[in-house]
Amino acid sequence: MSNYTFAPMPPTNAENNVYATWENGFSKEELDEISSYCEQRLVLSAATIDREENSGTAPEWRKSQTGWISNNDSTAWFYDKMAYIARNINSLFYRFDLYGFQEDMQYAVYGSGGDHYDWHIDSGATTVVPRKLSFSLQLSHPLDYEGGNLEFMIGKNVDVVRRERGLIVAFPAYRLHRVTPVTKGIRKSIVVWTTGPQFR
């Protein structure tokens, strides 16, 4: 059987497919461009939660500022790169049926006043189209902040994702995860959801 590779395989990692990581998907210059766009073009507001029994702001559970990155002439290249990475991670680890991005990408800023997002899943009951894979792109350098760890609950254990600027973490939207309180500095990230038909 012949093996024909279309593109170099970047470093990836996944343990039991709980989450996978993708390194060096964006250059330093591209990360700077994304950060600059978000800081200059987006209007931020208090993050909200969306649950059947409780919607709106709930700082005891989720405290941060968020803005939304639409697909436009300035961001099309970013959407294209994220789509490439999403397709590759999905084919390597999950093989979900996916439609693509049907929501704007979320820019999240966690400040030093204990900003956090407690345990939650992304595939909420109120989402119009089922979210299937979530992606988190770390924009901040690890030395820019303290706390603010992205963590996953795996059985009774908590797994802490390593901190690296530009690292993309992918995980099924039904995985329980959180961002711990930021105690110093500012943590910035972008969250992307891919959608698809209901799991069956």
Side-chain angles (χ1 to χ4, degrees):
M1 177 178 288
S2 298
N3 182 14
Y4 184 92
T5 303
F6 286 99
M9 184 69 70
T12 55
N13 172 61
E15 295 184 12
N16 300 320
N17 293 350
V18 171
Y19 65 89
T21 59
W22 189 280
E23 302 171 1
N24 304 316
F26 296 91
S27 67
K28 177 185 181 300
E29 292 73 21
E30 288 173 330
L31 293 171
D32 290 342
E33 182 176 345
I34 295 167
S35 296
S36 178
Y37 177 89
C38 292
E39 291 168 5
Q40 296 177 18
R41 302 282 295 275
L42 302 185
V43 177
L44 303 185
S45 58
T48 61
I49 60 171
D50 191 8
R51 303 180 66 189
E52 289 181 322
E53 70 275 15
N54 185 14
S55 296
T57 58
E60 72 282 357
W61 187 19
R62 183 184 188 186
K63 183 185 177 188
S64 64
Q65 296 286 310
T66 58
W68 300 93
I69 307 168
S70 61
N71 184 10
N72 56 51
D73 290 343
S74 298
T75 62
W77 70 271
F78 179 49
Y79 268 76
D80 288 343
K81 272 209 161 187
M82 284 300 303
Y84 170 80
I85 294 169
R87 288 195 303 269
N88 276 272
I89 288 181
N90 184 51
S91 65
L92 282 169
F93 298 110
Y94 302 107
R95 299 184 182 179
F96 292 164
D97 291 329
L98 299 178
Y99 297 142
F101 307 135
Q102 295 189 300
E103 300 175 79
D104 287 347
M105 299 182 183
Q106 183 184 88
Y107 173 61
V109 179
Y110 292 82
S112 59
D115 286 10
H116 69 286
Y117 197 167
D118 212 343
W119 292 111
H120 66 285
I121 61 174
D122 290 346
S123 54
T126 60
T127 54
V128 177
V129 181
R131 293 173 177 171
K132 301 189 79 171
L133 272 183
S134 299
F135 299 83
S136 178
L137 168 63
Q138 299 182 36
L139 286 180
S140 297
H141 189 281
L143 298 180
D144 289 345
Y145 63 98
E146 295 179 3
N149 290 321
L150 174 59
E151 299 181 346
F152 289 89
M153 181 69 73
I154 305 174
K156 294 183 178 180
N157 300 316
V158 174
D159 193 308
V160 181
V161 178
R162 79 177 189 275
R163 292 153 56 131
E164 178 182 321
R165 188 177 192 232
L167 184 71
I168 296 171
V169 182
F171 54 95
Y174 52 74
R175 288 292 184 188
L176 194 62
H177 61 287
R178 71 178 177 183
V179 176
T180 62
V182 173
T183 58
K184 183 178 180 180
I186 298 176
R187 177 190 188 272
K188 301 176 182 179
S189 64
I190 291 175
V191 179
V192 186
W193 303 281
T194 54
T195 60
Q198 292 283 359
F199 286 112
R200 60 179 181 174

